[in-house]
Each structure stands twice: as structure tokens, then as C-alpha cells.
Amino acid sequence: MKDMVGLGEKKVPEIDQKGVVDVSKTTLEKIEQMTLNMPTGQWVYIENDLQGIYNLQNKAKTGEMLFFRLNCKIPSQKQSFTIQNKDGQDILKAHDPQAGSIQFLLDNKNFANPFDAVNAKKLEPFKTALKTAKVIKIFNASKLYTFQNGHAELLEKPVSCKE
């Protein structure tokens, strides 16, 4: 029966040495398996050419996932970030008026919230500091989220920015 679908026994997509993976020819189930087993402490660039979707995500040791949208493929779209819990639910977004104060710390240097429209000029210095930072911490509502910044060169890659 499953051969009729035309997908056969495809395996879970592999993330290459540079932290890039192409998921355009795989099933949702295999993508979910890959996400569960994704390496922690580094950025992974996930491309889906068939659907034109490009994501950059970083999995914390605690299971939260950080998505950065810094270099938008469509320049008119807003740069942003999202943090999801280990169940894939959004728990913090860049442009959420209910979120309260959000602070980004790169190697413990405070950049406030560089995604805040009021602080638009803070995004470029933040992006520059990100290139060499080892640890990204995000503080919000008395919670601290910590992500290692491995494969920071992937932050230059263009991504899909619509939320």
C-alpha cells in the first residue's frame, strides 16, 4: 500500500556537516523525526525548495527551539524570532504585544529586544555581535532560555520571514 503513494521507504533527512538539510522531497513524519533528533547547540538551516520555505532553527538542550528570521528572502517582510516549546507550540514571539519585556544577551552582553520596532537601529549591531557570540540567552517573564550559537555562519542565509 505505501508504495502506491510513491514515497516508499524514505529515510529521515540528514543534516550535513555545515548544518544544512533539504526537506523538499520528504514526508512530514520524517521531518518531525529529524526535528526530534536534531543536534542541540547549533543552527540548522532547513530548506524546502518545492514549497519555497527556508528556516533557521536552534535546539536548546532543554528542548526549546529558537527560530531566527534575520535575513528575509523577501526584504519587505519583518525580521523576527520565535521560541517554541518541545511540543512545537510558540511560547515567545518577536512582535507579541502580550509578551512584556524581552531581553537578548549575547555572551552576557545585553542587547535589550533588537526586534522591537522602537529599537530598529539595534538590530544591525545585534546581527554583527551574533557572528562571534558563543551563547544566546533570551530573558522574558522570569524565564531564561539558553541556546549555543554553533554554526553561526548560517545566520547569513536568507530565510522565509512571514509569521
Side-chain angles (χ1 to χ4, degrees):
M1 184 76 166
K2 69 180 141 203
D3 289 343
M4 287 172 51
V5 181
L7 294 172
E9 287 294 320
K10 290 220 173 203
K11 56 187 207 304
V12 175
E14 306 242 339
I15 299 166
D16 72 15
Q17 296 294 326
K18 294 180 183 137
V20 177
V21 62
D22 179 2
V23 297
S24 55
K25 294 178 180 76
T26 195
T27 64
L28 188 59
E29 183 184 3
K30 297 295 182 196
I31 293 169
E32 286 171 1
Q33 281 180 343
M34 180 202 66
T35 303
L36 280 174
N37 299 315
M38 207 170 99
T40 59
Q42 70 171 62
W43 289 101
V44 174
Y45 184 72
I46 299 175
E47 46 193 29
N48 185 335
D49 288 332
L50 291 179
Q51 294 182 339
I53 298 170
Y54 305 89
N55 274 325
L56 199 53
Q57 56 194 64
N58 188 323
K59 187 175 184 179
K61 287 186 178 96
T62 51
E64 290 92 8
M65 196 77 77
L66 172 61
F67 295 84
F68 264 167
R69 292 177 285 282
L70 295 171
N71 295 306
C72 301
K73 276 192 173 284
I74 300 169
S76 60
Q77 292 179 335
K78 260 200 276 195
Q79 297 169 321
S80 65
F81 78 93
T82 303
I83 297 177
Q84 290 181 345
N85 64 18
K86 52 182 169 256
D87 298 323
Q89 297 161 317
D90 292 351
I91 50 177
L92 187 60
K93 287 178 144 182
H95 307 291
D96 179 357
Q98 263 64 74
S101 172
I102 300 170
Q103 291 181 40
F104 280 80
L105 295 104
L106 301 180
D107 295 339
N108 292 322
K109 182 176 190 272
N110 195 333
F111 283 81
N113 183 356
F115 297 94
D116 191 346
V118 180
N119 299 326
K121 289 180 176 62
K122 289 186 179 178
L123 196 56
E124 287 311 313
F126 175 75
K127 284 165 69 172
T128 301
L130 257 178
K131 291 175 188 174
T132 56
K134 301 281 181 257
V135 179
I136 302 165
K137 293 180 182 175
I138 303 165
F139 186 74
N140 170 261
S142 70
K143 284 199 176 88
L144 184 65
Y145 306 97
T146 304
F147 300 88
Q148 303 303 311
N149 197 26
H151 285 304
E153 70 280 359
L154 292 173
L155 292 165
E156 299 289 316
K157 287 184 138 323
V159 294
S160 309
C161 288
K162 62 181 187 294
E163 283 187 27

